[in-house]
Amino acid sequence: MKRFLFLVITLLVVLLNASAQYTTAGDGTRYTLQKLSEIEESGVEKADNGESGEFLLTQTVTIAAGDQFQLDEDATAIRFSSGVALTIQGTADFQSSDETTMLADDDDESAIGISIENTTEPITLSNIRFERVGLRALDAAELYIQNCTFFRHDGSQAAALYFTLGTNKAVVNECVFEECRKAAVGSSVSAQVDLTLTDCYLSENSTMNQNVPQINLSASPHIVIDNCEIQGTPQNNMVGGIGISNFTMKENTHITIANCVIRDNRYGIGTMGPMQISITSNQLIDNCHETNPMNGGSGISLYDPYSITSARISQNLIEGSLWGITVIGCKDVNIGRTDVPTTDENYNAGGNIFRNNGNGGHRYDLYNNSANTVYAQGNTWNVSEQTQENIEEVITHKHDNSALGEVFFWPAGNTNGIGYITNQQRSTTANHNATYDLSGRTTTHPKGLYIKNGKKLLHP
């Protein structure tokens, strides 16, 4: 009986600790970690070693609306106990002059990290390193995330940087996401996020190897992913590069994916549901690690059974996929249209290059698995000579199955004047000023067709 009572009391203590939190008064006070550590009931403790800038949060701390939080200048490390968050409902400044590390206090715990909720003022985070903890946003008015690192997020939420509910706005620049258990960047089905993600490096995320891409977003009115590198690994054969979905039939969506290098994932870019999307000047290489070609492995896959999706695809290198581009359903997919004046809104120079896409001994550059007409003019196909007869061999459409729509692919493109990547300096491990061959390998002796500084060049 005594043992039973002891177990009940222990359980109650655990539950009380799990739900414990401290909320500021909302009276306009400005808080720092140092100031919070001087409030006994806050649960914020400062390391007892003199001048150390290390702090421990033993319970959730909420900075209420009306109050302010300022990251301490000397804060070097902030540890979070299991289930604990620093929640911001007021204003905050997380700009660190030197790198500040936020991390779980114990390797086996599931700490939360920073939670931004129902804010009305801009919040900036810079030079923050998140280890096993993350950043989540719920109705966050404006987030600026600069030069931050998200490393080995523990998977306690669906993404290391996660937009959970409501309407959010975020600009994410020069950030690194590595080896997170689930997605690196994600949003829930019901969340809206006005997101600009630029100059970021993502490597081997979604290590649980579930059907979760490294970037996993719900379609929103404004999403831009520009000049990012998304590096996968063959061992994570369920993990795609970028996935955009629209399960709730949101209207007025605009997605742009441009100037990115997406390599070694299950698939490169996959969309599901209706949306408007532009995919331009990307390198999609070896996104082929799906073990069953019937389940995926495309460089680009567009799926919309409602026949609403409008897509414009131009100037991409698509190489080494099980399928180059697959179109399932959708409404208007423009992969190149040169039979109209350049002033026409439908004009698209194409400029896509397809290399070594296929499976089962067959080459598949474009598979139009829809009843729609698809224009794909001005592109360079994976054939020995750019003739109509040869190109037919790498395109599946009405010519192969009368139930499918026709692909108008002629005239084909040429090798002149196509740009791929606008290489801006960014803080990643990639060598962005190198010279690459069309297999994506760096080369010091370029011959033939190669890419340098984002431009396609021909060397005799």
Side-chain angles (χ1 to χ4, degrees):
M1 183 66 177
K2 289 182 179 179
R3 183 177 179 183
F4 174 75
L5 288 173
F6 174 77
L7 289 173
V8 170
I9 291 170
T10 301
L11 179 61
L12 287 172
V13 170
V14 170
L15 290 173
L16 286 171
N17 286 337
S19 61
Q21 64 176 332
Y22 174 78
T23 302
T24 63
D27 57 4
T29 301
R30 179 175 173 270
Y31 291 89
T32 62
L33 291 168
Q34 177 62 44
K35 184 168 185 175
L36 287 166
S37 71
E38 296 166 1
I39 303 172
E40 185 175 352
E41 63 268 28
S42 73
V44 177
E45 301 174 0
K46 187 172 184 179
D48 187 19
N49 54 353
E51 299 300 318
S52 171
E54 296 188 14
F55 296 85
L56 170 66
L57 275 67
T58 63
Q59 64 178 0
T60 291
V61 175
T62 299
I63 306 299
D67 288 341
Q68 307 166 35
F69 176 81
Q70 175 69 53
L71 183 65
D72 307 60
E73 290 185 4
D74 65 343
T76 57
I78 305 170
R79 297 180 179 274
F80 296 82
S81 296
S82 178
V84 168
L86 175 56
T87 300
I88 306 297
Q89 296 177 349
T91 62
D93 186 348
F94 286 96
Q95 297 180 80
S96 177
S97 55
D98 254 336
E99 185 176 76
T100 299
T101 300
M102 300 189 180
L103 69 164
D105 189 42
D106 190 301
D107 287 344
D108 297 326
E109 303 291 348
S110 295
I112 295 170
I114 305 298
S115 185
I116 312 293
E117 302 177 1
N118 305 306
T119 55
T120 58
E121 299 294 329
I123 293 176
T124 299
L125 299 95
S126 63
N127 301 321
I128 305 294
R129 180 179 176 85
F130 295 85
E131 290 189 10
R132 305 189 310 278
V133 298
L135 172 61
R136 69 183 183 190
L138 186 162
D139 264 335
E142 217 166 331
L143 293 179
Y144 294 93
I145 306 169
Q146 170 74 31
N147 197 31
C148 292
T149 296
F150 295 78
F151 181 65
R152 293 187 177 175
H153 181 259
D154 63 7
S156 55
Q157 60 188 25
L161 172 57
Y162 187 46
F163 302 93
T164 61
L165 291 169
T167 301
N168 305 272
K169 181 176 182 180
V171 176
V172 183
N173 181 245
E174 294 185 327
C175 291
V176 174
F177 301 81
E178 292 184 297
E179 299 178 27
C180 300
R181 294 196 74 203
K182 295 182 181 176
V185 182
S187 59
S188 68
V189 171
S190 56
Q192 293 271 358
V193 54
D194 181 334
L195 175 65
T196 301
L197 186 77
T198 58
D199 304 312
C200 292
Y201 177 72
L202 298 86
S203 176
E204 299 185 23
N205 297 288
S206 202
T207 60
M208 293 178 71
N209 199 26
Q210 299 173 334
N211 186 16
V212 177
Q214 296 198 55
I215 297 177
N216 188 25
L217 296 169
S218 293
S220 293
H222 177 267
I223 294 175
V224 173
I225 303 170
D226 187 14
N227 206 37
C228 295
E229 183 169 344
I230 304 166
Q231 176 69 53
T233 176
Q235 68 191 35
N236 293 340
N237 63 347
M238 291 293 292
V239 180
I242 299 175
I244 312 286
S245 60
N246 188 2
F247 294 118
T248 59
M249 300 294 290
K250 296 170 187 171
E251 298 180 352
N252 192 34
T253 60
H254 298 275
I255 295 98
T256 298
I257 302 172
N259 307 310
C260 294
V261 177
I262 306 172
R263 183 195 298 268
D264 267 333
N265 299 281
R266 177 191 175 193
Y267 57 83
I269 299 169
T271 71
M272 185 170 291
M275 64 190 71
Q276 297 181 59
I277 186 166
S278 171
I279 302 172
T280 305
S281 300
N282 303 285
Q283 295 185 47
L284 300 114
I285 301 171
D286 294 337
N287 297 291
C288 58
H289 301 308
E290 167 59 61
T291 56
N292 182 353
M294 294 300 102
N295 292 333
S298 298
I300 299 172
S301 175
L302 307 173
Y303 173 69
D304 173 21
Y306 307 103
S307 300
I308 298 174
T309 288
S310 173
R312 186 181 182 92
I313 300 173
S314 61
Q315 298 190 39
N316 301 283
L317 169 64
I318 304 171
E319 177 178 352
S321 305
L322 303 182
W323 316 88
I325 298 177
T326 54
V327 178
I328 305 173
C330 302
K331 179 183 179 182
D332 177 21
V333 177
N334 185 337
I335 309 174
R337 186 161 186 185
T338 61
D339 65 343
V340 294
T342 56
T343 54
D344 191 292
E345 64 178 6
N346 294 310
Y347 178 82
N348 175 4
N352 301 287
I353 294 181
F354 298 84
R355 288 177 57 92
N356 301 326
N357 303 292
N359 65 85
H362 298 280
R363 291 170 293 164
Y364 295 104
D365 283 349
L366 172 57
Y367 201 119
N368 181 21
N369 196 6
S370 77
N372 302 327
T373 296
V374 172
Y375 282 87
Q377 298 168 331
N379 300 302
T380 302
W381 306 89
N382 185 35
V383 293
S384 57
E385 293 183 52
Q386 301 294 311
T387 67
Q388 289 181 270
E389 183 179 7
N390 286 346
I391 295 170
E392 278 286 3
E393 296 178 6
V394 296
I395 295 176
T396 303
H397 64 135
K398 188 174 183 178
H399 178 81
D400 307 279
N401 182 342
S402 60
L404 302 178
E406 186 168 4
V407 174
F408 289 100
F409 57 81
W410 193 257
N414 56 55
T415 58
N416 297 323
I418 300 172
Y420 287 106
I421 304 294
T422 303
N423 287 311
Q424 301 173 9
Q425 188 65 36
R426 64 182 187 258
S427 56
T428 75
T429 60
N431 181 5
H432 299 291
N433 293 315
T435 298
Y436 297 87
D437 64 20
L438 286 188
S439 294
R441 296 181 293 264
T442 58
T443 176
T444 55
H445 303 288
K447 288 186 177 181
L449 198 62
Y450 67 96
I451 297 169
K452 182 176 178 62
N453 199 28
K455 300 294 184 182
K456 191 172 74 170
L457 303 174
L458 190 62
H459 196 288

